[in-house]
């Protein structure tokens, strides 16, 4: 049986990120226009950590939920569940993104492409025909 000491801090951090993103998914899908209560947020984080810890609330689940709550920004009164889900997604650092995460991936063209005008059709050169005389 794995103990919390068997998990590295990096694994716990990644599990906490997964928990926070799962909470964001849940509160987006469930009544996104309702105000989010702090107690509901705590329950969601604990429940997602419980699921991630193989439905066991031993040291592993507790450690994951503590780290996840440290990633969660402060909830202001009146914030809807959908709004807070966006805040959660922005607050969670991505482990797989490097320092260049904000750089453009798709190159920008310096000018718009020009398309041929539909009325202008390319002309086919006509070969001169020989007249036998």
């Amino acid at each position: 049986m794995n103990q919390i000491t068997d998990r590295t801090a990096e694994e716990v951090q990644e599990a906490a990120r997964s928990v926070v993103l799962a909470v964001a998914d849940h509160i987006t899908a469930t009544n996104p226009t309702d105000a989010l209560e702090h107690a509901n947020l705590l329950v969601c984080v604990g429940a997602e950590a419980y699921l991630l810890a193989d439905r066991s609330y031993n040291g592993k689940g507790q450690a994951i939920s503590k780290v996840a709550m440290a990633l969660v920004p402060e909830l202001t009164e009146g914030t809807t569940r959908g709004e807070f889900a966006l805040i959660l997604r922005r607050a969670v650092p991505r482990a797989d993104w490097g320092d260049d995460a904000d750089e453009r991936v798709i190159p920008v063209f310096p000018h718009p492409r020009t398309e041929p005008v539909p009325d202008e059709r390319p002309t086919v050169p006509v070969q001169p025909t020989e007249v036998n005389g």
Side-chain angles (χ1 to χ4, degrees), residues 10-78:
E10 202 171 281
E11 289 173 329
V12 172
Q13 188 73 20
E14 184 57 37
R17 282 187 206 90
S18 297
V19 165
V20 174
L21 292 175
V23 168
D25 290 342
H26 173 75
I27 63 177
T28 299
T30 310
N31 303 323
T33 58
D34 291 354
L36 179 61
E37 301 290 331
H38 187 69
N40 292 345
L41 177 62
L42 292 174
V43 168
C44 284
V45 170
E48 293 296 341
Y50 173 76
L51 289 174
L52 193 65
D54 299 324
R55 298 180 183 264
S56 172
Y57 203 70
N58 60 11
K60 180 170 58 170
Q62 290 177 359
I64 293 170
S65 65
K66 285 180 183 178
V67 174
M69 282 306 297
L71 293 174
V72 172
E74 186 175 339
L75 174 64
T76 56
E77 189 174 335

Side-chain angles (χ1 to χ4, degrees), residues 2-3 7 22 24 28 31 38 51 55 60 66-67 72-73 76 79 82 91 98 100 103 108-109 115-116 126 132:
N2 290 344
Q3 298 296 318
R7 297 179 66 88
T28 299
N31 303 323
H38 187 69
L51 289 174
R55 298 180 183 264
K60 180 170 58 170
K66 285 180 183 178
V67 174
V72 172
T76 56
T79 304
D100 62 347
E103 291 184 20
V108 177
F109 293 101
E115 298 289 329
V126 178
N132 289 334

